[in-house]
Amino acid sequence: MAAYLGSEKKFRYAMIRAAKTCLGEKESDGSYRHIIKTYNTHKPLFNNYTVPYGQAWCSEFISYLAIVCGCEAVVPVRYECKYQVAWFKEHNCWQGRTYRPKKGDIIYFDWGGNGVVDHVGIVWRVSGRSIRTIEGNMGGVVSARVLSTGSSCIFGYGVPDYGALSTAPQFRQARRFLNKARFFLGAAEGSAKHQRILKLYNKHNPLPRGYAVKATDAWCAVFVSACAIKAGVTDVVPCECGCPEMIELFKKLSEWYESDARIPNPGDVIFY
């Protein structure tokens, strides 16, 4: 379950932190490939199109940031800039060239001045009339750029509604899930809290694989399941008594990410 417990500002900063970690990654040595891999493994895949290595990837970089930061609901996961621009316009999240951007806004470029979008990056910071960006595929590299506000090469801005993420259903689910986990802090085997965890799991209907957990069984996955049951979020946190089985269920929900494919958020379930 991916829902970042924070304000609009925290979402903006999370996007920038993710972008900064990619600075210097390049096409020539293959270090950028995790960006394309993350895009291609995200579900649903836009237009069912798998992006090949070697294709222009500036928009895939922005999509990658959205995926790893859990911001897909407000930053479109799309290949090609034109599809992202269309999404922002359709959702009334578009501003023209004269707009003064904020950190975390998405900036689009028109190099030829012909009204056709060519390139995209993320606004890193704004100071006076200076905008600093981070862009994927700037000469095949994730690099920074400095330009002036209102520059003629600016096509416009996608302005994600990051604030909406903190009030989304996923946010409320993650908060309930974490609150239940906090309740069980300090639970030791044989304690009343431990017994309550086992009871919650064993009373769940349907009982996964029909197996009632015993007091002597390993119970790390049972703990996660019990928190999900108590919080009422079993539609996004699957119940299982074994870690391998729980992982497979997360994969079926398209909610499984390898360790380098997503920045973990409060409420995510981590496996060791």
Coordinates of all heavy atoms in Angstrom, one line a residue, residues 76-143:
P76 N 0.8 12.4 -14.4 CA 0.5 11.3 -15.3 C 1.7 10.5 -15.7 O 2.7 11.0 -16.0 CB -0.1 12.1 -16.5 CG 0.6 13.4 -16.5 CD 0.6 13.8 -15.0
V77 N 1.5 9.2 -15.6 CA 2.5 8.2 -16.0 C 2.3 7.9 -17.5 O 1.4 7.1 -17.8 CB 2.4 6.9 -15.1 CG1 3.4 5.9 -15.6 CG2 2.6 7.3 -13.7
R78 N 3.0 8.6 -18.3 CA 2.8 8.6 -19.8 C 4.1 8.7 -20.5 O 5.0 9.3 -20.0 CB 1.9 9.8 -20.2 CG 0.6 10.0 -19.6 CD -0.4 9.0 -20.2 NE -1.8 9.3 -19.8 CZ -2.4 8.8 -18.7 NH1 -1.6 8.0 -17.9 NH2 -3.6 9.1 -18.4
Y79 N 4.2 8.0 -21.6 CA 5.4 8.2 -22.5 C 5.0 9.4 -23.4 O 3.8 9.6 -23.7 CB 5.7 7.0 -23.3 CG 4.7 6.5 -24.3 CD1 4.7 7.0 -25.6 CD2 3.6 5.7 -23.9 CE1 3.7 6.6 -26.5 CE2 2.6 5.3 -24.8 CZ 2.7 5.8 -26.1 OH 1.7 5.4 -27.0
E80 N 6.0 10.1 -23.9 CA 5.8 11.3 -24.7 C 5.1 12.5 -24.0 O 4.1 12.3 -23.4 CB 5.0 10.9 -26.0 CG 5.8 10.0 -26.9 CD 5.1 9.9 -28.3 OE1 4.3 10.8 -28.7 OE2 5.5 8.9 -29.0
C81 N 5.8 13.6 -24.2 CA 5.3 14.8 -23.5 C 3.9 15.2 -23.8 O 3.1 15.7 -23.0 CB 6.2 16.0 -23.9 SG 7.9 15.8 -23.4
K82 N 3.5 15.0 -25.1 CA 2.2 15.4 -25.5 C 1.1 14.8 -24.8 O 0.0 15.4 -24.5 CB 2.0 15.2 -27.0 CG 2.0 13.7 -27.4 CD 1.9 13.6 -29.0 CE 1.8 12.1 -29.4 NZ 1.7 12.0 -30.9
Y83 N 1.2 13.5 -24.4 CA 0.2 12.8 -23.6 C 0.1 13.3 -22.2 O -1.0 13.4 -21.6 CB 0.5 11.3 -23.6 CG 0.4 10.6 -24.9 CD1 1.5 9.9 -25.5 CD2 -0.8 10.7 -25.7 CE1 1.4 9.3 -26.7 CE2 -0.9 10.1 -26.9 CZ 0.2 9.4 -27.4 OH 0.1 8.8 -28.7
Q84 N 1.3 13.7 -21.6 CA 1.3 14.3 -20.3 C 0.6 15.6 -20.3 O -0.2 16.0 -19.4 CB 2.7 14.4 -19.7 CG 3.4 13.1 -19.4 CD 4.7 13.2 -18.8 OE1 5.3 14.3 -18.7 NE2 5.3 12.1 -18.3
V85 N 0.9 16.5 -21.3 CA 0.3 17.8 -21.4 C -1.2 17.7 -21.5 O -1.9 18.4 -20.8 CB 0.9 18.6 -22.6 CG1 0.1 19.8 -22.8 CG2 2.4 18.9 -22.3
A86 N -1.6 16.8 -22.3 CA -3.1 16.6 -22.5 C -3.7 16.2 -21.2 O -4.8 16.7 -20.9 CB -3.3 15.5 -23.6
W87 N -3.1 15.3 -20.4 CA -3.7 14.9 -19.1 C -3.8 16.1 -18.2 O -4.8 16.3 -17.5 CB -2.8 13.9 -18.5 CG -3.4 13.3 -17.2 CD1 -4.1 12.1 -17.1 CD2 -3.3 13.8 -15.9 NE1 -4.5 11.9 -15.8 CE2 -4.0 12.9 -15.0 CE3 -2.7 14.9 -15.3 CZ2 -4.1 13.1 -13.7 CZ3 -2.8 15.1 -14.0 CH2 -3.5 14.2 -13.2
F88 N -2.7 16.9 -18.1 CA -2.8 18.1 -17.2 C -3.9 19.1 -17.6 O -4.6 19.6 -16.8 CB -1.4 18.8 -17.2 CG -0.4 18.2 -16.3 CD1 0.8 17.7 -16.8 CD2 -0.6 18.1 -14.9 CE1 1.7 17.2 -15.9 CE2 0.3 17.5 -14.0 CZ 1.5 17.1 -14.5
K89 N -4.0 19.3 -18.9 CA -5.1 20.2 -19.4 C -6.5 19.6 -19.1 O -7.4 20.3 -18.7 CB -4.9 20.4 -20.9 CG -3.7 21.3 -21.2 CD -3.6 21.5 -22.7 CE -2.4 22.5 -23.0 NZ -2.3 22.8 -24.5
E90 N -6.6 18.3 -19.3 CA -7.9 17.7 -19.1 C -8.3 17.8 -17.6 O -9.5 17.8 -17.2 CB -7.9 16.2 -19.5 CG -7.9 16.0 -21.0 CD -7.5 14.6 -21.4 OE1 -7.4 13.7 -20.4 OE2 -7.4 14.3 -22.6
H91 N -7.3 17.8 -16.7 CA -7.6 17.9 -15.3 C -7.5 19.3 -14.7 O -7.4 19.4 -13.5 CB -6.6 16.9 -14.5 CG -7.0 15.4 -14.8 ND1 -6.6 14.8 -16.0 CD2 -7.6 14.5 -14.1 CE1 -7.0 13.5 -15.9 NE2 -7.7 13.4 -14.8
N92 N -7.5 20.3 -15.6 CA -7.4 21.7 -15.1 C -6.2 21.9 -14.2 O -6.3 22.7 -13.2 CB -8.7 22.1 -14.4 CG -9.9 22.0 -15.3 OD1 -9.9 22.4 -16.4 ND2 -11.0 21.4 -14.8
C93 N -5.1 21.3 -14.6 CA -3.8 21.5 -13.9 C -2.7 22.0 -14.8 O -1.5 21.7 -14.7 CB -3.4 20.2 -13.2 SG -4.5 19.6 -11.9
W94 N -3.1 22.9 -15.7 CA -2.1 23.4 -16.7 C -2.0 24.9 -16.5 O -3.0 25.6 -16.3 CB -2.6 23.1 -18.1 CG -1.7 23.6 -19.2 CD1 -1.9 24.7 -20.0 CD2 -0.4 23.1 -19.5 NE1 -0.8 24.9 -20.8 CE2 0.1 23.9 -20.6 CE3 0.3 22.0 -19.1 CZ2 1.3 23.6 -21.1 CZ3 1.5 21.7 -19.7 CH2 2.0 22.5 -20.7
Q95 N -0.8 25.4 -16.6 CA -0.5 26.9 -16.6 C 0.4 27.2 -17.8 O 1.3 26.4 -18.2 CB 0.2 27.3 -15.3 CG -0.7 27.2 -14.1 CD -1.8 28.2 -14.0 OE1 -1.7 29.2 -14.7 NE2 -2.8 27.9 -13.3
G96 N 0.3 28.4 -18.3 CA 1.0 28.9 -19.5 C 2.4 29.3 -19.1 O 2.9 29.3 -17.9
R97 N 3.1 29.8 -20.1 CA 4.6 30.2 -20.0 C 4.8 31.3 -18.9 O 5.9 31.3 -18.3 CB 5.1 30.7 -21.3 CG 6.5 31.1 -21.4 CD 7.0 31.2 -22.8 NE 6.2 32.2 -23.5 CZ 6.5 33.5 -23.5 NH1 7.5 34.0 -22.8 NH2 5.8 34.3 -24.2
T98 N 3.9 32.2 -18.7 CA 4.1 33.3 -17.8 C 3.9 33.0 -16.4 O 4.1 33.8 -15.5 CB 3.2 34.5 -18.2 OG1 1.8 34.1 -18.1 CG2 3.5 35.0 -19.6
Y99 N 3.4 31.8 -16.1 CA 3.2 31.3 -14.7 C 4.5 31.3 -13.9 O 5.5 30.9 -14.5 CB 2.5 29.9 -14.8 CG 2.5 29.1 -13.5 CD1 1.6 29.4 -12.5 CD2 3.3 28.0 -13.3 CE1 1.5 28.7 -11.3 CE2 3.3 27.3 -12.2 CZ 2.4 27.6 -11.2 OH 2.4 26.9 -10.0
R100 N 4.4 31.6 -12.7 CA 5.6 31.5 -11.8 C 5.6 30.2 -11.1 O 4.7 30.0 -10.2 CB 5.7 32.7 -10.8 CG 7.0 32.6 -9.9 CD 7.1 33.8 -9.1 NE 8.2 33.8 -8.2 CZ 9.5 34.0 -8.5 NH1 9.7 34.4 -9.8 NH2 10.5 33.9 -7.7
P101 N 6.4 29.2 -11.5 CA 6.3 27.9 -10.9 C 6.8 27.7 -9.5 O 7.5 28.6 -9.0 CB 7.2 27.1 -11.9 CG 8.2 28.1 -12.3 CD 7.5 29.4 -12.4
K102 N 6.5 26.6 -9.0 CA 6.9 26.2 -7.6 C 7.8 24.9 -7.7 O 7.6 24.2 -8.7 CB 5.7 25.9 -6.7 CG 4.8 27.1 -6.5 CD 3.6 26.7 -5.6 CE 2.7 27.8 -5.3 NZ 1.5 27.4 -4.5
K103 N 8.5 24.7 -6.7 CA 9.3 23.4 -6.6 C 8.3 22.2 -6.8 O 7.3 22.2 -6.2 CB 10.0 23.3 -5.2 CG 10.8 22.1 -5.0 CD 11.2 22.0 -3.5 CE 12.0 23.2 -3.0 NZ 13.4 23.0 -3.4
G104 N 8.7 21.3 -7.7 CA 7.9 20.1 -7.9 C 6.9 20.3 -9.1 O 6.3 19.3 -9.5
D105 N 6.7 21.5 -9.6 CA 5.9 21.6 -10.8 C 6.6 21.0 -12.0 O 7.9 20.8 -12.0 CB 5.6 23.1 -11.1 CG 4.6 23.7 -10.2 OD1 3.8 22.9 -9.5 OD2 4.5 24.9 -10.1
I106 N 5.9 20.6 -13.0 CA 6.5 20.0 -14.2 C 6.5 21.0 -15.3 O 5.5 21.6 -15.7 CB 5.6 18.8 -14.7 CG1 5.3 17.8 -13.4 CG2 6.3 18.0 -15.7 CD1 6.5 17.3 -12.7
I107 N 7.7 21.2 -15.9 CA 8.0 22.2 -16.9 C 8.2 21.6 -18.3 O 8.9 20.6 -18.4 CB 9.2 23.1 -16.5 CG1 9.4 24.2 -17.6 CG2 10.4 22.3 -16.3 CD1 10.4 25.3 -17.1
Y108 N 7.5 22.1 -19.3 CA 7.5 21.6 -20.6 C 8.2 22.6 -21.6 O 7.9 23.9 -21.4 CB 6.1 21.2 -21.1 CG 5.6 20.0 -20.4 CD1 4.9 20.2 -19.2 CD2 5.8 18.7 -20.9 CE1 4.4 19.1 -18.5 CE2 5.3 17.6 -20.2 CZ 4.6 17.8 -19.0 OH 4.1 16.7 -18.3
F109 N 8.9 22.2 -22.5 CA 9.7 23.0 -23.4 C 9.2 22.9 -24.9 O 8.8 21.8 -25.3 CB 11.2 22.7 -23.3 CG 11.8 22.9 -21.9 CD1 11.8 21.8 -21.0 CD2 12.3 24.1 -21.6 CE1 12.3 22.0 -19.8 CE2 12.8 24.3 -20.3 CZ 12.8 23.2 -19.4
D110 N 9.4 24.0 -25.6 CA 9.1 24.1 -27.0 C 10.3 24.7 -27.7 O 10.5 25.9 -27.7 CB 7.9 24.9 -27.3 CG 7.6 25.2 -28.8 OD1 8.3 24.6 -29.6 OD2 6.8 26.0 -29.1
W111 N 11.3 23.9 -28.1 CA 12.6 24.4 -28.6 C 12.4 25.2 -29.9 O 13.1 26.2 -30.1 CB 13.6 23.3 -28.8 CG 13.9 22.4 -27.6 CD1 13.9 21.0 -27.6 CD2 14.2 22.8 -26.3 NE1 14.2 20.6 -26.3 CE2 14.5 21.7 -25.5 CE3 14.4 24.1 -25.7 CZ2 14.8 21.7 -24.2 CZ3 14.8 24.2 -24.4 CH2 15.0 23.0 -23.6
G112 N 11.5 24.8 -30.7 CA 11.4 25.5 -32.0 C 10.4 26.7 -32.0 O 10.3 27.4 -33.1
G113 N 9.7 26.9 -30.9 CA 8.8 28.0 -30.9 C 7.6 27.8 -31.8 O 7.0 28.8 -32.3
N114 N 7.3 26.6 -32.2 CA 6.3 26.3 -33.2 C 5.0 25.8 -32.5 O 4.1 25.3 -33.2 CB 6.8 25.3 -34.2 CG 7.3 24.0 -33.6 OD1 7.2 23.8 -32.3 ND2 7.8 23.1 -34.4
G115 N 4.9 25.9 -31.2 CA 3.7 25.4 -30.5 C 3.6 23.9 -30.3 O 2.5 23.4 -30.0
V116 N 4.7 23.2 -30.5 CA 4.8 21.8 -30.3 C 5.7 21.5 -29.1 O 6.8 21.9 -29.1 CB 5.3 21.1 -31.6 CG1 5.4 19.6 -31.3 CG2 4.3 21.3 -32.7
V117 N 5.2 20.7 -28.1 CA 6.0 20.4 -27.0 C 7.1 19.4 -27.3 O 6.8 18.4 -28.1 CB 5.1 19.8 -25.8 CG1 4.4 18.6 -26.2 CG2 5.9 19.7 -24.6
D118 N 8.3 19.6 -26.8 CA 9.5 18.8 -27.2 C 10.1 18.1 -26.1 O 10.8 17.1 -26.3 CB 10.5 19.7 -27.9 CG 10.1 20.3 -29.2 OD1 9.6 19.6 -30.0 OD2 10.1 21.6 -29.3
H119 N 10.0 18.6 -24.9 CA 10.9 18.2 -23.8 C 10.2 18.5 -22.4 O 9.3 19.4 -22.4 CB 12.3 18.8 -23.9 CG 13.3 18.3 -22.9 ND1 13.7 17.0 -22.9 CD2 13.9 18.9 -21.9 CE1 14.6 16.9 -21.9 NE2 14.8 18.0 -21.3
V120 N 10.6 17.8 -21.4 CA 10.0 18.0 -20.1 C 11.1 17.9 -18.9 O 12.0 17.1 -19.1 CB 8.8 17.1 -19.8 CG1 9.3 15.6 -19.8 CG2 8.1 17.4 -18.5
G121 N 10.8 18.6 -17.8 CA 11.7 18.4 -16.7 C 10.9 18.7 -15.4 O 9.7 19.1 -15.5
I122 N 11.5 18.7 -14.3 CA 10.8 19.1 -13.0 C 11.5 20.3 -12.4 O 12.7 20.5 -12.5 CB 10.8 17.9 -12.0 CG1 10.0 18.3 -10.8 CG2 12.2 17.5 -11.6 CD1 9.7 17.1 -9.9
V123 N 10.7 21.2 -11.9 CA 11.2 22.5 -11.3 C 11.9 22.1 -10.0 O 11.2 21.6 -9.1 CB 10.1 23.5 -11.1 CG1 10.7 24.7 -10.5 CG2 9.5 23.9 -12.5
W124 N 13.2 22.4 -9.9 CA 13.9 22.1 -8.7 C 13.8 23.2 -7.7 O 13.4 23.0 -6.5 CB 15.4 21.9 -9.1 CG 16.3 21.5 -8.0 CD1 16.1 21.5 -6.6 CD2 17.7 21.2 -8.1 NE1 17.2 21.2 -5.9 CE2 18.2 20.9 -6.8 CE3 18.5 21.0 -9.2 CZ2 19.5 20.6 -6.6 CZ3 19.9 20.6 -9.0 CH2 20.3 20.4 -7.7
R125 N 14.0 24.4 -8.1 CA 13.9 25.6 -7.3 C 13.7 26.9 -8.1 O 14.0 26.9 -9.3 CB 15.1 25.8 -6.4 CG 16.4 26.1 -7.1 CD 17.5 26.5 -6.1 NE 17.8 25.4 -5.2 CZ 19.0 24.7 -5.3 NH1 19.8 25.0 -6.2 NH2 19.2 23.8 -4.4
V126 N 13.1 27.9 -7.5 CA 12.9 29.2 -8.2 C 13.4 30.3 -7.3 O 13.1 30.3 -6.1 CB 11.4 29.4 -8.5 CG1 11.1 30.7 -9.2 CG2 10.8 28.2 -9.3
S127 N 14.2 31.1 -7.9 CA 14.8 32.2 -7.1 C 14.8 33.5 -8.0 O 15.5 33.5 -9.0 CB 16.2 31.9 -6.7 OG 16.8 33.0 -6.0
G128 N 14.1 34.5 -7.6 CA 14.0 35.7 -8.4 C 13.4 35.3 -9.8 O 12.3 34.8 -9.9
R129 N 14.1 35.6 -10.8 CA 13.7 35.3 -12.2 C 14.4 34.0 -12.7 O 14.4 33.7 -13.9 CB 14.0 36.5 -13.1 CG 13.1 37.7 -12.9 CD 13.4 38.8 -13.9 NE 13.2 38.3 -15.3 CZ 12.1 38.2 -15.9 NH1 11.0 38.4 -15.3 NH2 12.1 37.8 -17.2
S130 N 15.0 33.3 -11.8 CA 15.8 32.1 -12.2 C 15.0 30.8 -11.8 O 14.6 30.7 -10.7 CB 17.2 32.1 -11.6 OG 17.9 31.0 -11.8
I131 N 15.0 29.9 -12.8 CA 14.4 28.6 -12.6 C 15.5 27.5 -12.7 O 16.2 27.6 -13.7 CB 13.2 28.3 -13.6 CG1 12.1 29.4 -13.5 CG2 12.6 26.9 -13.3 CD1 11.1 29.2 -14.6
R132 N 15.6 26.7 -11.8 CA 16.5 25.5 -11.9 C 15.7 24.3 -12.0 O 14.8 24.0 -11.2 CB 17.4 25.5 -10.7 CG 18.6 24.5 -10.8 CD 19.6 24.6 -9.6 NE 20.7 23.7 -9.8 CZ 21.8 23.9 -10.5 NH1 21.9 25.1 -11.1 NH2 22.8 23.1 -10.5
T133 N 16.0 23.5 -13.0 CA 15.3 22.2 -13.3 C 16.2 21.0 -13.2 O 17.4 21.1 -13.3 CB 14.6 22.3 -14.7 OG1 15.7 22.3 -15.7 CG2 13.8 23.6 -14.9
I134 N 15.5 19.9 -13.1 CA 16.2 18.6 -13.3 C 15.5 17.9 -14.4 O 14.2 17.8 -14.4 CB 16.2 17.7 -12.1 CG1 17.0 18.4 -10.9 CG2 16.9 16.4 -12.3 CD1 17.0 17.7 -9.6
E135 N 16.2 17.4 -15.4 CA 15.6 16.8 -16.6 C 16.2 15.5 -17.0 O 17.4 15.4 -17.0 CB 15.7 17.8 -17.8 CG 15.1 19.2 -17.5 CD 15.6 20.2 -18.5 OE1 16.0 19.9 -19.6 OE2 15.6 21.4 -18.1
G136 N 15.4 14.5 -17.4 CA 15.9 13.3 -17.9 C 16.2 13.5 -19.4 O 15.6 14.3 -20.1
N137 N 17.2 12.7 -19.9 CA 17.5 12.7 -21.3 C 17.9 14.1 -21.8 O 17.5 14.5 -22.9 CB 16.3 12.2 -22.2 CG 16.8 11.8 -23.6 OD1 17.9 11.4 -23.8 ND2 15.9 11.8 -24.5
M138 N 18.7 14.8 -21.0 CA 19.3 16.0 -21.5 C 20.6 15.6 -22.1 O 21.6 15.5 -21.4 CB 19.5 17.1 -20.4 CG 20.0 18.4 -20.9 SD 20.5 19.5 -19.6 CE 19.0 19.8 -18.6
G139 N 20.6 15.4 -23.4 CA 21.8 14.8 -24.1 C 22.1 13.4 -23.6 O 23.3 13.0 -23.5
G140 N 21.0 12.7 -23.2 CA 21.2 11.3 -22.8 C 21.6 11.2 -21.3 O 21.9 10.1 -20.9
V141 N 21.5 12.3 -20.6 CA 21.9 12.2 -19.2 C 20.8 12.9 -18.3 O 20.1 13.8 -18.8 CB 23.2 13.0 -19.0 CG1 23.7 12.9 -17.5 CG2 24.3 12.5 -19.9
V142 N 20.6 12.5 -17.1 CA 19.8 13.3 -16.1 C 20.7 14.4 -15.6 O 21.7 14.2 -15.0 CB 19.4 12.4 -14.9 CG1 18.5 13.2 -14.0 CG2 18.6 11.2 -15.4
S143 N 20.2 15.7 -16.0 CA 21.0 16.8 -15.7 C 20.2 18.0 -15.2 O 19.0 17.9 -15.3 CB 21.8 17.3 -17.0 OG 22.6 16.3 -17.5

